[in-house]
Amino acid sequence: MSLTLRTISREQHLAYIQSLPSASHMQVPAWADVKAEWRSESLGWFDERTGEMVGAGLVLYRQLPKIKRYLAYLPEGPVINWFSPNLEDWLQPMLAHLKHQGAFSVKMGPPVIIRRWNAETIKKGIQSPDVKRLRDMEADFIEPRAFEVADKLRRMGWQQGEDGGAGFGDVQPRYIFQVPLANRSLEEVHKQFNQLWRRNIKKAEKAGVEVVQGGYQDLEEWQRLYEITAVRDHFRPRPLSYFQRMWTALNTEDPNRMRLYFARHNGVNLSAATMLIVGGHVWYSYGASDNIGREVRPSNAMQWRMLRDAYALGATVYDLRGISDSLDETDHLFGLIQFKVGTGGQAAEYLGEWDFPLNKLLHKALDIYMSRR
C-alpha cells in the first residue's frame, strides 16, 4: 500500500476516530483544546490507490524557550496499523512532515500492548519473596508482534527512554490495569472481584452510599475532594480551570465523552471520579476522596457503578489507567496495584514512549533541561 500524509481538518480526524472500535482519549481532536498551552495539528494517512484515510494522529507542539523550534508529541498515538510489515512507510513521511513544521524532536507512544498478567498471577507474585516486579513473572499473554515493532523502531533510529523501559521515563503510564468486558456477563465480572471488593461493595450498599453523576456545575465540588487527595498523597493538583476546559472541550466534541461521578453518604460527597469514553474503551481517569467516611467504602461503590455504566454503554474494556510495576509491599505505589488487582482484571504493559531526535544537539539540550527540573 502506498501512503501519503497530510494535515487534515478536525472534522475529518473525528470522523476517522468514530469509525474505529476505539482509540486513546489523547488522540481525539478535542484533546488539543484540553492541552491549550501546546500548538496542535491533525495528521491523516491516505491510501494513494483508493484515496481512503487509513490512519490519523494528533500532534502537540511545545515550543522551546526563546527559539522557534518544537518538541512534537503524539500521546498514545498515532492511530495507525502498528503491525504493518512496512511500518517505515507510515513513520518516515510523519518525521519529514514534523521536521518541516520546525520540530527538533518527536515523542510518540505506540498504543501497542506487549504483555498481560491476570489478577491471579499478580496475587501469587505478591506472595512470592522472589518477585519484586511484574516483569519477574511469566506473563499470561504475550504479543510477539510487539517485539517486531520495537525492533523496527530501533532500526529506524527511534530511541526508548533512558530507564531501559522500567516505565518511569515515560510521560504516559507504561503499565496499566484493565478489566476486560467483551463477551462477559456483569455477573461474571462481579464474580472475578476478590472477596474484599465484594464485601466492600455490599458494605457501601448497606450503609446507603449513593453514587450519582455530576455535571459542569459540580466541578468545584470535584476540585475540593481532589485537592484533599493531593495533600494526602503528596502530588501537585491541576487547577479547576483544567477540568473545566477538559469538560467543555471533550463534551462539545461528543456529549458522552467525559463523565463525573460522586459517591455520597448522608448527603455528603466522599469520593469522586472522572470517566472518559472513546468508542468501546472507557477510562477511569482521575479519582479523589475525602479523609472522612472511608468506613462506608465509597470508592468501591463508585467503581462498581462506573464499571456497570461502562458495560451498559457496550464497552469492551474498563481501563483503570496507570500502575507501577512494583509488587513490593514497601513501595509507596503498591497500594494502587493492590486496589486495582481486587477487580480481577489484568495488568498490561505497553511498548512505552519513543523519541526520534531530528536535531541531536537540541534533543540533548532538552534532555539536560528536563533532568534538572
Side-chain angles (χ1 to χ4, degrees):
M1 178 167 60
S2 291
L3 296 165
T4 53
L5 174 110
R6 62 174 182 266
T7 304
I8 55 173
S9 70
R10 288 179 69 136
E11 290 71 31
Q12 285 173 293
H13 186 169
L14 182 59
Y16 181 71
I17 295 287
Q18 285 169 335
S19 74
L20 304 172
S22 74
S24 168
H25 60 276
M26 296 182 197
Q27 281 296 307
V28 301
W31 194 251
D33 302 327
V34 179
K35 298 291 170 189
E37 68 280 15
W38 298 65
R39 181 164 73 85
S40 66
E41 182 184 21
S42 290
L43 297 179
W45 280 259
F46 294 83
D47 181 340
E48 272 179 11
R49 215 167 23 94
T50 62
E52 184 195 358
M53 183 153 51
V54 288
L58 175 70
V59 188
L60 301 173
Y61 294 97
R62 172 59 74 81
Q63 192 175 342
L64 264 188
K66 299 190 178 65
I67 54 169
K68 271 253 183 314
R69 300 299 291 277
Y70 301 87
L71 166 68
Y73 181 36
L74 293 96
E76 297 185 2
V79 185
I80 58 173
N81 176 10
W82 284 96
F83 299 131
S84 163
N86 55 336
L87 191 56
E88 50 285 345
D89 293 357
W90 293 80
L91 296 178
Q92 291 311 118
M94 180 181 88
L95 289 174
H97 175 86
L98 297 175
K99 189 171 188 173
H100 186 68
Q101 291 287 324
F104 68 88
S105 185
V106 181
K107 183 185 274 292
M108 65 176 183
V112 175
I113 285 175
I114 314 182
R115 307 176 178 87
R116 292 183 188 275
W117 294 265
N118 294 335
E120 276 312 307
T121 305
I122 300 167
K123 279 180 214 159
K124 282 182 193 147
I126 291 169
Q127 284 154 10
S128 164
D130 303 330
V131 174
K132 290 281 177 264
R133 305 199 162 274
L134 280 171
R135 283 185 165 202
D136 297 342
M137 297 182 297
E138 202 178 320
D140 294 290
F141 164 82
I142 289 183
E143 173 53 86
R145 294 177 303 173
F147 297 96
E148 287 175 38
V149 174
D151 280 347
K152 282 178 187 165
L153 291 176
R154 277 190 204 98
R155 283 204 297 274
M156 278 183 247
W158 289 86
Q159 301 168 359
Q160 231 178 338
E162 293 297 306
D163 60 6
F168 300 105
D170 294 345
V171 183
Q172 302 308 328
R174 176 147 188 184
Y175 294 90
I176 50 135
F177 204 86
Q178 298 179 332
V179 180
L181 300 177
N183 309 317
R184 297 173 74 196
S185 69
L186 262 181
E187 289 69 44
E188 286 171 315
V189 174
H190 186 260
K191 256 196 205 117
Q192 286 298 303
F193 281 8
N194 70 11
Q195 250 180 323
L196 185 64
W197 262 83
R198 291 202 301 268
R199 218 173 31 237
N200 286 346
I201 290 167
K202 222 179 212 142
K203 205 179 215 174
E205 266 171 35
K206 258 202 179 117
V209 172
E210 268 187 293
V211 181
V212 296
Q213 264 185 262
Y216 180 87
Q217 70 285 355
D218 301 300
L219 285 168
E220 285 182 26
E221 174 62 357
W222 147 264
Q223 192 71 16
R224 180 185 73 83
L225 291 166
Y226 173 63
E227 286 179 11
I228 290 170
T229 310
V231 171
R232 186 177 65 237
D233 294 349
H234 312 291
F235 66 83
R236 206 165 83 213
R238 290 188 180 277
L240 172 62
S241 58
Y242 179 81
F243 295 103
Q244 289 173 327
R245 190 164 69 233
M246 195 171 169
W247 182 277
T248 306
L250 296 178
N251 288 338
T252 300
E253 178 175 276
D254 179 330
N256 202 21
R257 183 77 84 220
M258 179 176 176
R259 289 184 178 188
L260 178 62
Y261 287 84
F262 291 97
R264 57 170 64 142
H265 186 241
N266 295 336
V268 179
N269 292 316
L270 298 176
S271 61
T274 60
M275 183 161 117
L276 301 177
I277 301 150
V278 183
H281 202 131
V282 171
W283 293 264
Y284 152 54
S285 68
Y286 283 89
S289 60
D290 206 329
N291 298 326
I292 57 165
R294 297 186 152 207
E295 68 287 349
V296 294
R297 306 298 175 200
S299 294
N300 298 88
M302 186 172 64
Q303 288 295 341
W304 177 227
R305 162 74 190 272
M306 287 165 71
L307 203 149
R308 292 198 320 266
D309 284 3
Y311 190 88
L313 287 167
T316 52
V317 63
Y318 180 69
D319 196 322
L320 292 129
R321 289 290 284 165
I323 51 171
S324 142
D325 73 330
S326 172
L327 299 181
D328 180 352
E329 297 190 18
T330 60
D331 191 300
H332 73 290
L333 292 169
F334 176 74
L336 200 59
I337 192 166
Q338 201 176 29
F339 178 74
K340 293 177 182 183
V341 163
T343 61
Q346 303 170 324
E349 179 191 358
Y350 275 103
L351 207 50
E353 293 191 321
W354 294 70
D355 295 305
F356 195 99
L358 291 164
N359 178 318
K360 290 196 167 62
L361 203 67
L362 285 176
H363 179 81
K364 192 87 194 124
L366 179 79
D367 263 0
I368 293 164
Y369 170 69
M370 292 308 281
S371 66
R372 286 185 183 151
R373 287 181 74 182

